[in-house]
Amino acid sequence: MKKVTKLKPSVPVMPERKKVAAYARVSMETERLHHSLSAQVSYYSELIQSNPKWEYAGVYADEAISGTSVNRPEFQRMLADCEAGKIDIILTKSISRFARNTVDLLNAVRHLKELGIEVRFEKEKINSLSGDGELMLTLLASFAQEESISISNNVKWGVRKRMQEGIPNGHPRVLGYRWEGDQLVIVPEEAEIVKRVFQNFLDGKSRLETEREFEAEGIRSINGCVMRDSNLKTILNNVTYTGNLLLQKEYISDPIEKKRKKNRGELPQYFVENTHEPIIDMETFQYVQDEMARHKELGALANKSLNTCCFTGKIKCPYCGFSYMHSRRTKNGNYQEFWNCGSKKKKKQGDGCPVGGTINHKNLVLKCAEVLGIDTFDEDVFLKEVDHIDVPKRYTLEFHMTDGRVITKDCQNTGHQNCWTPEYRARVSKQRRKSGTNPKGSSCLTAKIKCEQCGCNFRKQTQRHTDGSTVAHWRCSAPAKTCGTVGLREDLLMQMIAEVLEIPEFDNSIFLERIDHISVLSATELVFHFTDGSTVRREWTKPKKVMPPWTEERREKQTQAIRDSFTPERRQAMSERMKQIRSEKYWASTKK
């Protein structure tokens, strides 16, 4: 018989299509480049969708953003989609479109390589997953970065050439002016604010006072924000208000990082005279600059709103770099002055000042007089002779004199000892005799209950019950073996005190006013001593322990525990024991 085999139709397996996306970028916002970006988007959309082996994953395009940084919205969105598994291949026109920073380019490509994502650079014909792809990328990315630096230098050269001709780089916004074409024109309302800032400074007002005035009146900066100290300082330093322009106040040192820095002499500046109408005359402006420089040199001493003295800014911490700050406080009725490292008040990050401790103001004055060789401290002599004081370690002062000498002195902090005057010591002793030595945990009964057997005071103790409740007891502080008294339960004692005072319920103020103390003669007898000299005796009955009633839950739990304890082995042992007891009783009865 012939053998017949049935052939089943095979289902063709379709190859999995790759998810392909493209990235495009232009660095400037112009009509020509906008058309270029649109052309790139159209080109890649058509290219991906026309390939049957590819699945269109979109085109990511950044416009008017430099490639020297990876902080580009569409670029970051593309990386996020790659991490989410939405993309397998990325197409881009060239390395310079993808990134102009060598480090950023390699980091991005390596990250995508770890995810198994391929990046194809069409112009250079480089595949990031190929063997020599990273080497070629490194070389060509370096060229792209250098090209970006070259372009930046050319742009800077053009900007500086225009500055030499007195042409500013752009039209920066300035409070008090607006730009009309290339000319600055005064805005009267804003100009009045500028004049007021300068006038307040000339009147001796601090910038903080001006800030508070403007905030109360609702005066805002050019951006509509509250006028802060930094805004006022910028206005006072801006030479534009004199009718002149100072160009290249700031510059960008690195075209890759693009960090803006203040020009402090690294590059030339260009002063262009009489470019617009002034708001402040040059003489006033220069006077303000000189005063601000003088204030800066004086430091905190120039701020009249601060309570300064000759030591302000003179005592330095060599580790934190902060000056010591003056502090005052009143503790236990005693006025104290001391100095501590400024890192404490300014909340400097880290482990804190390694020196620690404070400097007592009175001791500081005495040590300064000793170093200066004078009987009575004199501020003028101190400022003339002492440059500054370092605190290298706790309670040690290092005087750096103006003539170059360095004198080291110990300055122990005796502020706590100094506060114990005879009057204060007597007051504290009286208070402790009256209320005990623990004022934080004391009550009206503290030091009021005396043990006549051993002479000790009763102390409060808290006892916790099984149900979670607590009950306070007063017990003699002497060891239990040496004293025959018992503990007094606080709630029952307060009931007895209320009965003795003939009041409906216990009252702290009435108790303190009328009862001097309570004597415990024995375990059963108390004597109440009144402030008027009279006494009252009372019998103390020790309360019986009252066990809480058994609940159904507890009864069931106990029954189950007893049942569980009777294991088969225990039952067998008990049975054998009972047999032995019966047998012994039987033989004992027969002998009789």
Side-chain angles (χ1 to χ4, degrees):
M1 185 176 178
K2 295 181 179 181
K3 183 179 179 180
V4 180
T5 303
K6 184 179 180 181
L7 300 177
K8 295 182 179 180
S10 60
V11 179
V13 179
M14 298 295 293
E16 185 179 356
R17 296 197 301 168
K18 296 284 187 180
K19 298 184 284 291
V20 182
Y23 178 74
R25 180 188 65 81
V26 292
S27 57
M28 296 180 65
E29 189 175 2
T30 63
E31 186 176 353
R32 179 178 64 83
L33 291 179
H34 178 75
H35 288 314
S36 172
L37 183 65
S38 301
Q40 291 182 56
V41 173
S42 301
Y43 166 75
Y44 283 117
S45 298
E46 184 178 352
L47 176 65
I48 297 171
Q49 294 178 16
S50 63
N51 192 329
K53 297 181 180 180
W54 289 351
E55 179 182 340
Y56 181 69
V59 177
Y60 302 84
D62 282 310
E63 185 175 8
I65 299 179
S66 172
T68 55
S69 171
V70 294
N71 295 325
R72 294 167 259 157
E74 287 294 287
F75 188 84
Q76 292 297 328
R77 188 169 71 88
M78 179 183 69
L79 293 180
D81 289 345
C82 289
E83 292 173 353
K86 298 179 181 180
I87 301 173
D88 296 321
I89 300 174
I90 298 174
L91 305 179
T92 187
K93 182 179 178 181
S94 64
I95 292 174
S96 62
R97 296 301 92 197
F98 202 73
R100 283 188 178 272
N101 185 330
T102 306
V103 176
D104 290 342
L105 172 68
L106 294 178
N107 288 339
V109 170
R110 287 170 183 168
H111 178 58
L112 294 172
K113 190 175 182 179
E114 291 174 356
L115 299 174
I117 298 171
E118 175 186 349
V119 184
R120 296 181 184 179
F121 302 91
E122 289 191 324
K123 181 179 178 181
E124 294 83 4
K125 295 182 174 54
I126 295 176
N127 185 338
S128 64
L129 297 184
S130 63
D132 58 349
E134 184 165 333
L135 175 61
M136 295 299 296
L137 279 174
T138 304
L139 295 174
L140 294 175
S142 299
F143 288 126
Q145 179 173 315
E146 288 302 319
E147 181 186 2
S148 177
I149 294 174
S150 176
I151 293 171
S152 175
N153 291 335
N154 291 336
V155 172
K156 288 179 181 177
W157 182 86
V159 170
R160 287 168 187 160
K161 288 294 290 183
R162 290 195 297 273
M163 287 182 180
Q164 291 177 7
E165 298 173 2
I167 303 174
N169 182 29
H171 292 164
R173 299 176 67 193
V174 184
L175 181 69
Y177 291 101
R178 71 169 181 271
W179 287 94
E180 291 185 358
D182 292 332
Q183 185 68 29
L184 281 172
V185 179
I186 290 179
V187 180
E189 299 80 8
E190 297 180 1
E192 290 301 319
I193 298 174
V194 173
K195 291 178 181 178
R196 185 171 170 184
V197 172
F198 277 86
Q199 188 60 50
N200 281 4
F201 184 88
L202 296 174
D203 292 341
K205 292 184 179 179
S206 66
R207 293 199 297 265
L208 179 60
E209 291 174 309
T210 302
E211 176 185 327
R212 290 171 178 170
E213 282 183 14
F214 285 3
E215 186 171 3
E217 297 176 20
I219 298 175
R220 297 292 183 259
S221 68
I222 194 171
N223 295 318
C225 303
V226 177
M227 296 275 278
R228 296 301 184 192
D229 178 82
S230 57
N231 304 116
L232 300 173
K233 184 179 179 181
T234 301
I235 291 173
L236 293 171
N237 284 325
N238 196 346
V239 74
T240 305
Y241 296 119
T242 63
N244 308 298
L245 287 178
L246 182 62
L247 307 181
Q248 198 157 251
K249 296 179 184 178
E250 298 177 335
Y251 69 100
I252 296 175
S253 58
D254 189 347
I256 302 301
E257 295 183 357
K258 296 188 179 300
K259 289 186 177 179
R260 188 175 293 274
K261 295 183 178 180
K262 285 190 175 183
N263 187 358
R264 304 185 185 277
E266 296 86 354
L267 295 175
Q269 293 182 329
Y270 305 96
F271 187 75
V272 188
E273 298 183 15
N274 303 322
T275 58
H276 53 278
E277 185 181 353
I279 296 176
I280 305 296
D281 60 88
M282 179 57 78
E283 184 179 353
T284 301
F285 179 80
Q286 193 57 52
Y287 174 80
V288 170
Q289 304 315 302
D290 294 341
E291 279 296 298
M292 292 180 70
R294 188 178 66 85
H295 289 181
K296 184 176 180 181
E297 184 178 353
L298 289 174
L301 296 173
N303 192 341
K304 63 182 180 62
S305 63
L306 298 178
N307 192 357
T308 59
C309 67
C310 63
F311 296 113
T312 304
K314 285 282 191 178
I315 310 174
K316 306 287 185 180
C317 177
Y319 304 101
C320 304
F322 284 92
S323 295
Y324 271 57
M325 303 181 74
H326 194 197
S327 300
R328 300 176 179 84
R329 69 181 176 189
T330 301
K331 185 177 181 180
N332 300 325
N334 293 287
Y335 177 75
Q336 299 177 357
E337 286 186 76
F338 57 93
W339 296 80
N340 56 0
C341 182
S343 61
K344 182 178 180 180
K345 286 191 175 182
K346 295 186 179 181
K347 299 180 180 179
K348 184 181 178 183
Q349 298 296 323
D351 299 329
C353 180
V355 178
T358 60
I359 302 172
N360 182 270
H361 182 77
K362 292 182 179 179
N363 292 352
L364 173 63
V365 170
L366 293 175
K367 292 299 176 182
C368 288
E370 183 180 336
V371 169
L372 296 172
I374 54 180
D375 296 332
T376 305
F377 177 74
D378 187 277
E379 291 190 2
D380 295 333
V381 177
F382 172 80
L383 293 172
K384 181 180 178 181
E385 298 291 336
V386 179
D387 181 71
H388 68 279
I389 303 172
D390 279 344
V391 188
K393 60 181 181 180
R394 197 166 188 169
Y395 305 139
T396 301
L397 302 180
E398 201 174 73
F399 290 82
H400 291 257
M401 314 302 286
T402 54
D403 57 6
R405 292 179 299 140
V406 178
I407 303 173
T408 303
K409 289 286 184 181
D410 290 333
C411 186
Q412 293 293 326
N413 191 351
T414 58
H416 183 69
Q417 300 173 14
N418 296 338
C419 75
W420 286 91
T421 60
E423 297 79 10
Y424 179 61
R425 191 182 299 276
R427 188 168 71 252
V428 172
S429 298
K430 182 180 179 181
Q431 182 67 24
R432 286 180 176 177
R433 286 195 300 270
K434 182 179 179 181
S435 303
T437 59
N438 184 17
K440 290 185 178 180
S442 64
S443 71
C444 63
L445 297 175
T446 303
K448 289 286 189 179
I449 309 174
K450 312 286 185 180
C451 179
E452 294 296 329
Q453 295 188 20
C454 58
C456 297
N457 288 336
F458 272 49
R459 292 181 179 176
K460 184 178 180 179
Q461 297 178 352
T462 303
Q463 181 177 343
R464 185 177 294 277
H465 290 174
T466 55
D467 60 355
S469 62
T470 57
V471 176
H473 291 262
W474 289 84
R475 295 185 173 92
C476 182
S477 57
K481 294 181 180 180
T482 62
C483 184
T485 57
V486 296
L488 308 176
R489 221 173 84 177
E490 188 178 67
D491 54 345
L492 300 180
L493 178 61
M494 288 183 174
Q495 291 179 11
M496 180 179 287
I497 294 172
E499 293 174 2
V500 170
L501 295 175
E502 298 179 351
I503 55 178
E505 60 181 8
F506 180 80
D507 185 270
N508 290 350
S509 58
I510 298 177
F511 170 78
L512 293 173
E513 180 184 355
R514 296 183 57 187
I515 294 185
D516 182 72
H517 67 279
I518 303 171
S519 296
V520 182
L521 303 181
S522 64
T524 59
E525 189 174 9
L526 305 180
V527 178
F528 293 83
H529 297 264
F530 286 77
T531 54
D532 59 3
S534 61
T535 58
V536 174
R537 290 178 178 266
R538 283 288 188 272
E539 293 293 328
W540 176 264
T541 304
K542 186 178 180 180
K544 296 181 180 180
K545 291 185 177 180
V546 180
M547 298 298 294
W550 281 56
T551 62
E552 289 298 327
E553 182 181 358
R554 183 181 179 187
R555 193 183 304 280
E556 183 179 351
K557 184 178 180 180
Q558 187 68 19
T559 303
Q560 187 62 39
I562 295 173
R563 288 175 180 173
D564 293 342
S565 67
F566 280 88
T567 60
E569 294 80 7
R570 186 180 179 187
R571 290 178 184 275
Q572 182 65 26
M574 291 180 65
S575 177
E576 295 293 335
R577 177 62 179 162
M578 292 302 297
K579 288 178 182 179
Q580 182 181 356
I581 292 173
R582 292 190 189 102
S583 176
E584 291 175 354
K585 286 184 178 180
Y586 173 76
W587 289 112
S589 62
T590 57
K591 289 181 181 181
K592 293 179 180 180

